[in-house]
Amino acid sequence: MTQHTPTLLYIDDDAGLARLVDRGLTRRGYKVIHAASGEEGLERIRSASSQGCIDVVALDQYMPGLDGLETLEQIMAIPDAPPVVFVTASQDSSIAVTALKAGAADYLVKDVKGDFIPLLHVAAEGALRQAEVQRAREEAEAEIHASRDRYAALAAERELLLREVNHRVGNSLQIIASLLHLQASSAAQEEVKAALTNAMGRVAAVAQVHRRLYTSQDLKSVVLNQYLDSLLEDLRRSAEGNRMSRLTVKAEPIEIDPDRAVAVGIIVNELVMNAVKYAYPDGAGPIHVELTSQGEDLLLSITDNGVGDAVKADPRSTGMGQRIVAAMATKLDATVERDPAHSGTRIILRFPRTAAVSGKANSAAAG
């Protein structure tokens, strides 16, 4: 691979000194181009993109026409301008400060004999390295921005797809719930009607989660008070006759993940429907659902003022509801207790706000 020969543009009205710079830097592996004025130097830099690269500029301060500082200002305005080493015979440090503030990569004092040329070589090498580092930094930043844009686009697309999936799943589950409702309405046997109604409530509990995710800003969580309000409204509409007209809910705006929200919804569905069936044998009565936070735990209670322990066992019961509640409680890592002090029935579930990481998952992560 051929090594690139760096090109230095030397802008100085002193032709003799320019020849010394040419000889001195050529021996050090540079190609030197001379411009006798600031105007000529600017023209060479502007045309360099089409006629060949200028890698670094050495710029004298005192010249007829544009002086060094004026020329430097215009060089810095050129897109992708090469780095500039400011060169002057003046000992005035204010010129050096002004040049560096204006964008010069380095500054050095010249002499008429050319003794400064080795220093110019060192300064040019430093300016080239600095420019290379700057280009690498800009390319890295551009790649970071491009990566962020690609990630944002992918995240937006993923969110859109997830919303669409939740929308379709929610609609499909709602269709299933509606079909179960129609089937229950046309069933002649009470056992079949009750079983279909129970199944409809369970499907509706899952469908509500997907509807919540479709309309929510956050696809990773469900706000339980809104979810329970909608779920219990579905239960009111699906209740036999008008037996759930006194169903109430009081829940804090607690966010949990969708899987756990499904478990909460199914438990509420089972316990509320159980209260509807058995708490008030002679008619309707109040049923209250409450969800509160207590530290890192959540407390869910379903309460009625019905017959309590005096309820007679239904010989037609399969115990499916109890098994479902137990399974969902296990999923939530919840404890289930009955309040012995309540005259009716009050079931209390306590479960952590977030799912515990299993030992198996920890072992897998460690491995």
Side-chain angles (χ1 to χ4, degrees):
M1 183 175 178
T2 304
Q3 187 176 2
H4 172 66
T5 300
T7 299
L8 179 140
L9 174 62
Y10 185 68
I11 305 175
D12 193 337
D13 61 330
D14 188 332
L17 199 55
R19 286 192 293 271
L20 291 176
V21 170
D22 189 352
R23 287 197 296 270
L25 292 185
T26 299
R27 289 197 298 268
R28 291 172 170 84
Y30 276 76
K31 175 183 176 182
V32 178
I33 300 173
H34 177 226
S37 67
E39 292 84 355
E40 182 184 349
L42 287 167
E43 182 58 32
R44 284 186 175 274
I45 294 171
R46 292 190 181 106
S47 61
S49 58
S50 60
Q51 297 182 6
C53 176
I54 292 176
D55 298 291
V56 62
V57 175
L59 175 61
D60 185 38
Q61 163 60 4
Y62 296 110
M63 297 180 293
L66 291 176
D67 66 18
L69 291 175
E70 292 169 334
T71 304
L72 175 63
E73 182 178 358
Q74 295 193 36
I75 291 175
M76 291 297 101
I78 299 173
D80 299 321
V84 177
V85 177
F86 205 77
V87 181
T88 180
S90 173
Q91 300 291 332
D92 186 353
S93 60
S94 64
I95 295 178
V97 172
T98 303
L100 293 173
K101 286 184 177 180
D106 206 345
Y107 175 92
L108 59 89
V109 177
K110 71 175 182 177
D111 61 274
V112 295
K113 296 180 180 180
D115 293 338
F116 73 97
I117 293 174
L119 296 177
L120 177 57
H121 173 249
V122 172
E125 291 286 299
L128 288 173
R129 285 194 298 271
Q130 181 179 334
E132 185 177 352
V133 169
Q134 181 63 28
R135 281 194 298 270
R137 182 185 296 113
E138 290 173 355
E139 290 173 1
E141 290 176 352
E143 180 58 32
I144 289 172
H145 288 310
S147 298
R148 286 176 179 169
D149 291 342
R150 288 193 296 269
Y151 176 80
L154 289 173
E157 182 180 4
R158 177 179 178 273
E159 181 174 326
L160 182 63
L161 290 174
L162 284 174
R163 289 187 188 281
E164 182 62 22
V165 167
N166 282 308
H167 180 55
R168 291 178 182 272
V169 171
N171 282 350
S172 298
L173 290 172
Q174 190 58 50
I175 291 172
I176 293 171
S178 298
L179 291 174
L180 290 171
H181 179 69
L182 290 173
Q183 193 69 44
S185 300
S186 61
Q189 296 180 330
E190 288 301 319
E191 294 89 346
V192 174
K193 184 188 293 289
L196 291 173
T197 300
N198 289 341
M200 180 191 68
R202 293 159 187 156
V203 172
V206 181
Q208 272 292 348
V209 169
H210 288 281
R211 286 205 294 272
R212 285 284 147 200
L213 291 175
Y214 175 64
T215 58
S216 173
Q217 295 296 321
D218 183 4
L219 296 173
K220 297 179 181 179
S221 64
V222 174
V223 184
L224 283 179
N225 64 328
Q226 299 172 359
Y227 170 52
L228 291 176
D229 280 341
S230 300
L231 177 62
L232 294 178
E233 183 59 34
D234 286 347
L235 289 176
R236 289 189 190 97
R237 287 197 297 266
S238 65
E240 301 172 12
N242 194 33
R243 296 186 65 190
M244 292 177 66
S245 59
R246 298 177 64 185
L247 175 62
T248 59
V249 59
K250 179 181 179 182
E252 296 178 7
I254 298 165
E255 296 185 12
I256 63 172
D257 65 87
D259 286 345
R260 293 165 70 74
V262 167
V264 170
I266 291 176
I267 288 173
V268 169
N269 176 77
E270 296 301 324
L271 294 178
V272 167
M273 293 305 297
N274 190 68
V276 169
K277 292 176 185 177
Y278 304 118
Y280 303 103
D282 299 327
I287 302 171
H288 184 62
V289 177
E290 184 172 2
L291 178 75
T292 59
S293 60
Q294 191 174 86
E296 294 301 315
D297 290 342
L298 303 180
L299 296 181
L300 173 66
S301 65
I302 294 87
T303 305
D304 66 64
N305 296 326
V307 296
D309 291 336
V311 63
K312 294 182 180 180
D314 188 343
R316 298 170 299 175
S317 174
T318 64
M320 175 66 74
Q322 292 180 359
R323 292 198 297 272
I324 290 175
V325 170
M328 294 299 102
T330 300
K331 183 179 180 67
L332 290 171
D333 195 21
T335 59
V336 184
E337 298 178 353
R338 186 184 184 117
D339 184 359
H342 188 71
S343 58
T345 300
R346 184 169 187 249
I347 305 298
I348 304 171
L349 287 90
R350 178 189 292 270
F351 55 95
R353 185 187 299 262
T354 57
V357 180
S358 67
K360 182 181 292 186
N362 284 335
S363 299

